């Protein structure tokens, strides 16, 4: 049991590094096509072309979000805790 507790911080770091790498790769893979297609959409005034580009851009964005969600589900497991109240009440003394 002692061996497991020694390696747990290493496992957390490796999961974090892997998650970060996957997010960076996913961002690079999706950002470049989105920007190229957005520029094409900007310069092409034809409604039919813009409608097709809208669908493609939407599909890329949906894929981008889905991969990031999968990454967080598999590797994230974040434990977020928020403490405190409304800062404006604390400053005013109310």
């Amino acid at each position: 049991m002692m061996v497991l507790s020694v390696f747990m911080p290493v496992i957390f770091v490796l999961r974090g590094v892997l998650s970060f790498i996957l997010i960076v790769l996913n961002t690079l893979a999706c950002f470049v096509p989105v920007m190229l297609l957005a520029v094409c959409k900007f310069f092409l005034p034809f409604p039919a072309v813009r409608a097709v580009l809208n669908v493609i851009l939407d599909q890329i964005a949906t894929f981008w979000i889905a991969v990031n969600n999968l990454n967080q589900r598999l590797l994230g497991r974040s434990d977020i805790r928020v403490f405190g109240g409304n800062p404006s009440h604390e400053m005013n003394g109310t």
Side-chain angles (χ1 to χ4, degrees):
M1 190 55 117
M2 180 60 106
V3 174
L4 184 60
S5 65
V6 171
F7 288 110
M8 288 305 281
V10 174
I11 292 170
F12 292 144
V13 170
L14 291 176
R15 276 184 23 201
V17 169
L18 179 60
S19 178
F20 177 75
I21 290 170
L22 291 174
I23 287 174
V24 168
L25 291 175
N26 186 40
T27 299
L28 290 174
C30 295
F31 177 78
V32 173
V34 164
M35 286 299 113
L36 291 174
L37 291 172
V39 168
C40 290
K41 182 180 167 188
F42 180 75
F43 286 113
L44 294 173
F46 313 110
V49 173
R50 293 174 70 112
V52 170
L53 290 176
N54 278 341
V55 171
I56 296 170
L57 286 166
D58 184 58
Q59 291 297 317
I60 294 171
T62 301
F63 173 78
W64 191 351
I65 293 166
V67 172
N68 282 341
N69 284 339
L70 179 65
N71 179 356
Q72 287 301 301
R73 205 169 328 134
L74 296 176
L75 299 171
R77 296 191 180 118
S78 300
D79 182 21
I80 300 172
R81 297 175 190 201
V82 179
F83 297 96
N86 188 341
S88 63
H89 291 296
E90 293 173 13
M91 295 176 85
N92 295 331
T94 58

